Amino acid sequence: MKSDDQTYRGYRLSVASEFEAVFSHFYFAENDSAQAITKTLLPSFQTIMVFNFGTKSRLVSNAQNEIEVDKCIVLGPLKSAFEYTLSPGAQILVVNFKDDAFYRFFGKAFLSDHLPMNPDEAVEENCFTYLWHQLKAIPSVSDRVNCILDFCRPYLKLQHTTAALLADFKDNTRNPIKSIAEETGQTERNVQLMQKKHFGYSSKELSRYQRFVKAIGLIQNVLSSSKKVDWFEIIEECGYYDQSQLIKDFKHFINLSPRNFVRFQQDICQASDK
């Protein structure tokens, strides 16, 4: 049998500056082996659209809900890890939406309740099936990305003012909901509802996720230098109360203990640039 590096090919593609506020990146993967390959995708709090061009792919959530990808599917916001299996001959192209970008494209498609879904249902026309057939006929991955960007231009709507403030808020010392409510003269409840509607998650959920991502980054930096992870250093640096809280977050987001996360690094993919 070939090594995993020879049978599984996956890489990121950056986006043009025109679209950098709506897409973080694109991701392409294919399996050219004779056996199915399974990977784990870390939560990103982004909404993704998956185009499948080869044999059918399979997604499995932490709750063991299985989704088969035929042509195209929308998932997210990704708040917990899930496994994806590429059968022999599978080939996928993943579109990663930033912040409120999915809502900006598809308007009233409510993120929390109706995903996963067929993206044709979000715009009330059969345009994505048509797009899939266009993409299928294009051999180059970069040309497929350019085709998707051209397709998206007519659907790109202006960003809501409050959503823009939420997306651009970077001050970790202040409460974003309270600060933006004061700045815009709105109630905190109104800003909370706006975030949930446009982004698909709350400020509290995002804060917890960002703490977890910081821990992941620190662990990966230590591993890349071939050193042993000092778990108490991770706990202190990321603001966890104790080891049990760190373990609880890892179980919540990826259904693995921190130590098992270290063990299974080679089978885990991180989609987010957050």
Side-chain angles (χ1 to χ4, degrees):
M1 179 180 173
K2 299 178 183 178
S3 70
D4 187 62
D5 288 340
Q6 292 174 309
T7 59
Y8 175 87
R9 185 165 70 105
Y11 56 87
R12 295 186 180 208
L13 297 96
S14 58
V15 297
S17 57
E18 177 187 359
F19 289 95
E20 62 184 9
V22 292
F23 301 116
S24 63
H25 65 285
F26 290 76
Y27 181 78
F28 173 79
E30 66 178 346
N31 177 14
D32 63 0
S33 76
Q35 298 187 32
I37 293 176
T38 297
K39 298 282 186 177
T40 297
L41 181 66
L42 291 181
S44 64
F45 269 57
Q46 292 177 244
T47 299
I48 65 173
M49 183 179 294
V50 182
F51 289 97
N52 187 67
F53 300 110
T55 56
K56 290 183 180 180
S57 304
R58 190 171 72 253
L59 311 175
V60 182
S61 69
N62 277 342
Q64 298 303 305
N65 295 319
E66 187 171 310
I67 305 164
E68 193 174 69
V69 184
D70 182 12
K71 292 182 175 66
C72 185
I73 196 169
V74 170
L75 298 164
L78 301 181
K79 298 179 183 180
S80 60
F82 67 84
E83 290 185 345
Y84 65 96
T85 299
L86 300 184
S87 56
Q91 187 183 102
I92 61 172
L93 180 60
V94 183
V95 184
N96 293 268
F97 294 92
K98 288 180 70 173
D99 302 319
D100 64 329
F102 182 83
Y103 185 91
R104 291 169 65 185
F105 277 108
F106 304 119
K108 296 180 179 179
F110 192 73
L111 300 179
S112 298
D113 293 341
H114 295 157
L115 300 182
M117 66 182 296
N118 184 319
D120 283 330
E121 298 172 5
V123 293
E124 298 180 350
E125 52 185 293
N126 200 30
C127 58
F128 283 97
T129 299
Y130 172 73
L131 175 62
W132 180 88
H133 284 288
Q134 282 188 305
L135 296 174
K136 178 73 172 176
I138 301 174
S140 165
V141 177
S142 59
D143 287 343
R144 283 177 175 172
V145 169
N146 290 331
C147 180
I148 292 172
L149 295 178
D150 288 339
F151 172 86
C152 287
R153 281 189 177 92
Y155 295 93
L156 184 57
K157 298 180 180 180
L158 293 175
Q159 190 174 30
H160 191 281
T161 303
T162 301
L165 291 172
L166 286 164
D168 294 336
F169 195 90
K170 307 300 181 186
D171 189 347
N172 293 328
T173 64
R174 296 189 297 151
N175 182 317
I177 300 299
K178 184 177 181 179
S179 298
I180 291 172
E182 291 175 352
E183 180 180 344
T184 58
Q186 302 179 68
T187 65
E188 292 184 29
R189 177 60 176 164
N190 190 59
V191 178
Q192 287 173 338
L193 291 174
M194 179 69 69
Q195 181 168 39
K196 190 71 173 179
K197 177 181 179 182
H198 285 247
F199 293 75
Y201 49 78
S202 68
S203 177
K204 185 176 181 180
E205 287 177 306
L206 179 61
S207 178
R208 182 182 183 184
Y209 166 72
Q210 290 172 334
R211 180 179 62 183
F212 165 75
V213 168
K214 184 177 180 179
I216 290 289
L218 291 174
I219 292 168
Q220 290 175 330
N221 286 339
V222 172
L223 294 176
S224 66
S225 61
S226 301
K227 296 179 181 178
K228 187 176 181 180
V229 177
D230 184 333
W231 295 109
F232 292 104
E233 185 176 315
I234 299 294
I235 290 167
E236 182 177 358
E237 184 70 22
C238 297
Y240 284 102
Y241 294 124
D242 52 28
Q243 191 170 6
S244 64
Q245 191 182 31
L246 174 70
I247 294 172
K248 187 175 181 180
D249 266 13
F250 270 75
K251 289 286 189 179
H252 173 77
F253 287 113
I254 61 176
N255 201 30
L256 288 173
S257 70
R259 294 185 188 279
N260 279 338
F261 169 78
V262 171
R263 288 178 57 198
F264 298 124
Q265 271 288 293
Q266 65 179 1
D267 292 324
I268 295 177
C269 302
Q270 187 167 0
S272 177
D273 287 325
K274 287 181 181 292

